[in-house]
Amino acid sequence: MIDKIRRFVEWRIVGIPDTRLPKTDKVDIKEAEKVLIDWPEETAKPSVGLTRDTNENPHWTKFRRFLKNNRFDFEIFDYHRSDWLETAKNYDLIIWSPNSGPAELDEMKRKIYILEKKLGKKCFPDYETLLLCDDKVMSTYFLKMNGLPVADTFISNDYYEIEQMKTKLTYPLVSKRFHGASSREVDLIKNLGQLSRFSRKVFSFYGKKCSNAYFRQKNYVYFQRFIEGEGMDLRVNIAGNVITGYFRKPKHNDFRASGSGLVIKEDLPDEAIEIALKTYSAIGKAMLGVDMMRDREGKYWIIEISPFIGVITPIQLKVNNVAGSYFLSEDGVLDFRAENYWPQELALRVFFEQTYLSSVEEWKKKHIDPALRRGSLTKRIGNS
């Protein structure tokens, strides 16, 4: 409460500029295994510009560790400055460390588009990945297009269609804003009256107030079917052939599991891993977090995806109370090893392999598709 009052005074009354500095890690970054890439001697390494983020659990420090361990030449690239375009010409590749927030992502989208589409520079993440980053509307369209088991979702930018559909929708509904993590801007719409009041606010001249002081939900709704089941959600993280994940429980008298802080790290269901792998293959990018819930019939439904994973600790999975990761082999075996990695480092290795040493399709044919074609996964846990 004291911090909230302090922020209100500083930002709303005094008007102190929001000039947050790049963060460093609060944990020992070296507690994770090193991620090394087998780089051919005859292949020149790109010169790299590395951006820094202000997230509490920063991405850029993990990228820096990977670059140092694999002997890539890099410099810190300050993309906020007016001379960013001229400075970017010094690099073959720019590694972006996304900050959360619509204003921050908008800046990155504009600049990555120019660098990739107009100047021919390589960027990680690329423009297409960034379109899916923290955008539930865009990612849901993508999931539907690829025939993946996404929970029934009604998205509309038409107020009159919403009024017509409100008697046909099944309540309760989970309303989400396109942007936001940790269950911010997630509400339960229990009946017709609540839906009407909600949509009137959203389609009003000013839109609906959000947790971001400078941003409002305007002229769209995102309603997802409320899944009756265990109450927990499940996160599966994939970066390359390395798979981790955990369960999240909602707090008492709350339906929202994400952001609750109640995390259960134990073995992942085979079906959920298979769904996540199919989604990862369809997305075709370096890393992916897939959030799912299981209904009363035992079927898993995707409720959200995240193409950029941020974690507090490299320990994201435990099997038989042993921390580690699953490694997917071509024969469909999930080999559990007591090894823990930063997903950002794993993703960067995948990006280099897909971009400089092969292609996305060649990489998938080697590392992911053979296991999926077998139709079933087998776990090998052993004495980890």
Side-chain angles (χ1 to χ4, degrees), residues 111-283:
K111 293 177 177 179
I112 289 178
Y113 180 86
I114 291 171
L115 291 170
E116 281 190 346
K117 308 299 182 182
K118 303 302 178 183
L119 298 182
K121 299 288 185 180
K122 300 292 185 184
C123 289
F124 172 81
D126 63 7
Y127 181 71
E128 188 176 280
T129 301
L130 208 62
L131 288 178
L132 298 173
C133 196
D134 209 6
D135 190 330
K136 298 177 182 66
V137 173
M138 179 69 80
S139 59
T140 300
Y141 289 150
F142 193 92
L143 292 169
K144 288 184 175 182
M145 285 170 50
N146 284 275
L148 294 161
V150 59
D152 292 340
T153 306
F154 175 75
I155 304 170
S156 179
N157 298 81
D158 187 325
Y159 175 78
Y160 297 105
E161 181 194 18
I162 297 165
E163 284 295 295
Q164 292 171 354
M165 287 295 297
K166 66 183 181 182
T167 58
K168 301 175 183 178
L169 296 171
T170 302
Y171 298 87
L173 294 165
V174 179
S175 171
K176 301 180 181 181
R177 195 186 69 184
F178 86 90
H179 163 269
S182 300
S183 292
R184 289 190 293 271
E185 317 304 341
V186 176
D187 299 296
L188 199 63
I189 306 292
K190 297 180 180 179
N191 52 53
L192 291 171
Q194 283 189 2
L195 188 149
S196 292
R197 290 191 293 274
F198 182 89
S199 60
R200 280 199 298 270
K201 285 183 180 179
V202 168
F203 283 86
S204 68
F205 182 79
Y206 292 102
K208 184 180 181 296
K209 186 178 179 180
C210 298
S211 59
N212 293 99
Y214 63 88
F215 200 82
R216 289 176 176 262
Q217 181 174 346
K218 183 78 170 76
N219 288 6
Y220 75 92
V221 296
Y222 182 106
F223 296 144
Q224 201 166 71
R225 176 172 66 92
F226 180 78
I227 298 175
E228 298 277 1
E230 298 172 321
M232 295 191 297
D233 75 3
L234 164 65
R235 159 63 70 96
V236 179
N237 290 328
I238 304 178
N241 69 330
V242 182
I243 301 164
T244 61
Y246 46 82
F247 297 85
R248 293 178 292 204
K249 290 179 62 176
K251 293 179 180 178
H252 183 62
N253 291 331
D254 197 350
F255 71 97
R256 298 166 297 185
S258 176
S260 69
L262 304 176
V263 176
I264 302 171
K265 294 179 181 178
E266 58 184 35
D267 203 0
L268 302 171
D270 293 5
E271 181 185 346
I273 294 176
E274 186 172 346
I275 290 172
L277 283 168
K278 289 178 180 177
T279 308
Y280 181 66
S281 179
I283 296 290

Side-chain angles (χ1 to χ4, degrees), residues 7-38:
R7 289 196 298 268
F8 179 83
V9 172
E10 290 179 351
W11 296 348
R12 294 295 187 93
I13 298 177
V14 181
I16 294 177
D18 181 18
T19 54
R20 287 167 285 183
L21 297 174
K23 295 288 197 305
T24 55
D25 292 283
K26 297 178 181 178
V27 299
D28 183 4
I29 193 173
K30 296 179 181 178
E31 68 183 57
E33 305 282 345
K34 289 183 180 180
V35 177
L36 302 176
I37 187 169
D38 186 13

Side-chain angles (χ1 to χ4, degrees), residues 74 81 148 213 296 354 365:
F74 71 95
R81 291 175 52 87
L148 294 161
R296 288 176 173 172
Q354 292 181 344
K365 286 179 181 178

Side-chain angles (χ1 to χ4, degrees), residues 241 243 269-271 273-274 277 326-336 364-381:
N241 69 330
I243 301 164
D270 293 5
E271 181 185 346
I273 294 176
E274 186 172 346
L277 283 168
Y326 278 116
F327 291 76
L328 178 68
S329 61
E330 294 181 18
D331 59 1
V333 173
L334 292 165
D335 188 18
F336 181 79
K364 288 197 300 183
K365 286 179 181 178
K366 179 179 179 181
H367 296 283
I368 303 296
D369 293 346
L372 289 177
R373 282 197 299 268
R374 294 182 67 88
S376 63
L377 302 173
T378 304
K379 289 177 179 173
R380 182 167 57 212
I381 297 174

